[in-house]
Amino acid sequence: MPLRIPQSLYSDLRAHGEETYPHECCGILLGKSDTETLTVHQLIRAGNTRTDSAHNRYHIAPQELIAAQRQARKSGLDIVGFYHSHPDHPAQWSSTDFAEAHWFGCAYVITSVDGDKTKGAAQITNSFLLTGTSEDDKAFLPQRIEFDSPASN
Amino acid sequence: MNIHIPTPLRTYTDKQETVSVDGATVAEGLAALTAAFPAMHQHLFTAEGKLRSFVNVYLNDDDVRYLPAKEDSPVASTDELTIIPSIAGGTPGIPCRLPGCCR
Ligand SMILES: [Zn+2]
């Protein structure tokens, strides 16, 4: 199941990672999912609440998630995924990412941002679909990213 | 009260985003929800019957864990409960090279 995203939003989430470098950025993807595709229509930047070690940890406050869910409901959309950056680290999920992933059927988008600790440039962006139904059978599956013209809503 | 269901758990509520239940407390509302949708139970609660650590339940804008009466907090019919799994992660094992950043 591919992730479809307008090119403009894709550029936005990569730019977010460059802006917060050397810290991690994170955000929420609103859109629609059916049996074939996850489609992103909106992107919500989240404040990374893990300020104690923001370069290698991210956490989205539940209040922000609730606000995002409310916004999604108003727009006839759903939360379909999340994104975060890996400063100076490959665009692959970490064991912590996996242990703390609980949104089954949602996309987890990771962008590697390489730099010199003062300025970074977005490198690779990968998306992983969290499959399974519970903590016991969950798995991250690499997911193709397809580009779309801007969403019409 | 209305209970808002997050995307991954709508599999167990016939795709409904919002479920309306009766109950005088948060616990009663959750019990009514799992009575209506039994498959939901194991995704919210541990075998010991405690809310799973990564499942957040909010009464309007308040985290139920931090309310004085916790899950026994009273709920009015106009109140909204929101179930929201946590979102977190990171890149552990990378030595910190930023002074004062990592503890
Ligand atoms: Zn990560």
Side-chain angles (χ1 to χ4, degrees):
Chain A
M1 159 137 79
L3 180 78
R4 281 186 83 87
I5 184 168
Q7 182 81 49
S8 59
L9 297 186
Y10 178 79
S11 305
D12 268 5
L13 70 84
R14 286 168 56 84
H16 192 191
E18 293 179 343
E19 287 166 34
T20 59
Y21 180 89
H23 299 294
E24 286 201 5
C25 74
C26 50
I28 303 164
L29 308 173
L30 303 188
K32 280 290 193 192
S33 73
D34 56 34
T35 48
E36 267 143 49
T37 319
L38 282 182
T39 309
V40 180
H41 292 248
Q42 289 179 25
L43 183 149
I44 299 175
R45 290 184 172 208
N48 186 351
T49 52
R50 286 293 299 239
T51 48
D52 55 339
S53 54
H55 67 292
N56 66 359
R57 300 283 292 146
Y58 81 97
H59 173 256
I60 302 178
Q63 288 91 336
E64 285 191 87
L65 288 170
I66 289 171
Q69 193 163 280
R70 224 171 257 157
Q71 182 175 330
R73 191 154 64 232
K74 280 195 197 127
S75 327
L77 302 172
D78 299 315
I79 293 178
V80 294
F82 306 92
Y83 69 87
H84 71 283
S85 64
H86 279 180
D88 299 307
H89 194 72
Q92 294 296 326
W93 52 270
S94 68
S95 52
T96 315
D97 288 337
F98 182 68
E100 303 198 15
H102 311 293
W103 286 69
F104 304 103
C106 287
Y108 285 74
V109 176
I110 303 175
T111 301
S112 56
V113 182
D114 289 352
D116 60 3
K117 295 291 165 201
T118 55
K119 210 173 172 322
Q123 305 293 318
I124 293 167
T125 298
N126 288 323
S127 185
F128 303 92
L129 181 69
L130 185 66
T131 62
T133 56
S134 74
E135 295 306 298
D136 304 321
D137 68 354
K138 71 181 183 181
F140 268 139
L141 285 190
Q143 183 178 41
R144 200 171 66 247
I145 299 178
E146 295 178 350
F147 298 109
D148 211 354
S149 51
S152 55
N153 72 53
Chain B
M1 78 191 83
N2 279 334
I3 305 184
H4 296 295
I5 311 295
T7 339
L9 293 180
R10 286 180 212 161
T11 315
Y12 310 106
T13 59
D14 303 329
K15 305 270 172 235
Q16 295 175 73
E17 198 274 344
T18 306
V19 176
S20 187
V21 299
D22 291 327
T25 64
V26 172
E28 286 181 20
L30 293 176
L33 176 70
T34 56
F37 305 102
M40 184 79 112
H41 193 270
Q42 67 169 115
H43 299 282
L44 299 182
F45 298 98
T46 62
E48 292 76 42
K50 298 191 75 164
L51 263 184
R52 291 184 180 276
S53 58
F54 56 83
V55 174
N56 303 295
V57 177
Y58 272 65
L59 173 55
N60 301 317
D61 289 315
D62 295 312
D63 188 335
V64 167
R65 282 192 187 92
Y66 299 110
L67 290 176
K70 299 193 166 58
E71 286 162 50
D72 294 324
S73 302
V75 178
S77 61
T78 51
D79 282 337
E80 311 224 317
L81 273 193
T82 306
I83 297 169
I84 206 103
S86 61
I87 275 294
T91 52
I94 306 173
C96 181
R97 282 165 288 177
L98 291 171
C101 187
C102 198
R103 274 173 231 169

